[in-house]
């Protein structure tokens, strides 16, 4: 499939488009709930982007979502953590890590990822509305985790 016609002329190089092609294909596969095929395409695309690049962070996030859809939560956590280790510039992976750890009952880890997500917001490449959204998401998550921690405290 040729995605060049969907983008503004001169904005994206042919080389970049070629690197992004598996990502576009994976997105279409996800829309049709063909998650295993999408996983393969995202893994293929991951090989094309250098460590620490925005493209890799996007792919880690997309791949994590695919693993969550497939209910492979350990793999989702692993891929989001890989993005975090590489220095993700988006708070999304931290938000997902906090939620996944909270759902698994690992409340302290969840709280730690909330804190990392909030720190990430300070250097994130987000616009004002995204920043406000994530501040509210992390605030709500922290409140829920604190409530769960208090409920699990036997004293």
């Amino acid at each position: 499939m040729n995605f060049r016609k969907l983008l503004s002329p001169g904005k994206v190089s042919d080389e970049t488009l070629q690197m992004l092609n598996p990502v576009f294909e994976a997105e279409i596969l996800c829309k049709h709930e063909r998650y295993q095929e999408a996983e393969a395409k995202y893994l293929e695309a991951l090989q094309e982007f250098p460590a620490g690049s925005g493209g890799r962070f996007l792919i880690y996030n997309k791949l994590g979502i695919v693993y969550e859809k497939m209910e492979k939560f350990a793999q989702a956590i692993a891929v989001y953590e890989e993005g975090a280790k590489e220095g993700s510039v988006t708070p999304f992976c931290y938000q997902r890590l906090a939620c996944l750890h909270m759902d698994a009952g690992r409340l302290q880890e969840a709280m730690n990822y909330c804190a990392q997500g909030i720190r990430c917001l300070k250097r994130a490449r987000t616009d004002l509305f995204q920043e406000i959204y994530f501040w509210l998401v992390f605030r709500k998550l922290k409140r829920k985790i604190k409530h769960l921690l208090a409920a699990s405290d036997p004293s």
Side-chain angles (χ1 to χ4, degrees), residues 14-101:
D14 287 335
E15 180 184 3
T16 301
L17 260 183
Q18 190 65 31
M19 290 169 61
L20 286 170
N21 200 47
V23 175
F24 296 141
E25 291 174 10
E27 283 296 298
I28 292 168
L29 291 165
C30 283
K31 297 287 185 229
H32 295 288
E33 298 181 1
R34 294 166 54 188
Y35 300 121
Q36 289 180 322
E37 294 168 76
E39 172 192 17
K41 288 293 181 179
Y42 284 132
L43 290 172
E44 176 187 334
L46 200 55
Q47 303 308 310
E48 297 297 321
F49 289 88
S53 69
R56 280 179 77 89
F57 299 139
L58 167 77
I59 296 165
Y60 283 135
N61 290 343
K62 296 292 189 175
L63 191 54
I65 292 167
V66 166
Y67 287 138
E68 287 188 64
K69 296 277 188 188
M70 294 168 58
E71 297 184 2
K72 295 181 176 182
F73 301 113
Q75 285 178 274
I77 288 171
V79 80
Y80 289 132
E81 285 178 342
E82 194 62 35
K85 275 189 243 174
E86 285 190 23
S88 182
V89 292
T90 172
F92 181 81
C93 70
Y94 300 103
Q95 182 257 335
R96 294 308 311 142
L97 284 164
C99 287
L100 288 166
H101 282 288

Side-chain angles (χ1 to χ4, degrees), residues 128-139:
L128 177 63
F129 295 110
Q130 289 173 320
E131 189 171 334
I132 291 169
Y133 168 79
F134 275 109
W135 276 109
L136 293 172
V137 165
F138 284 120
R139 183 175 170 208

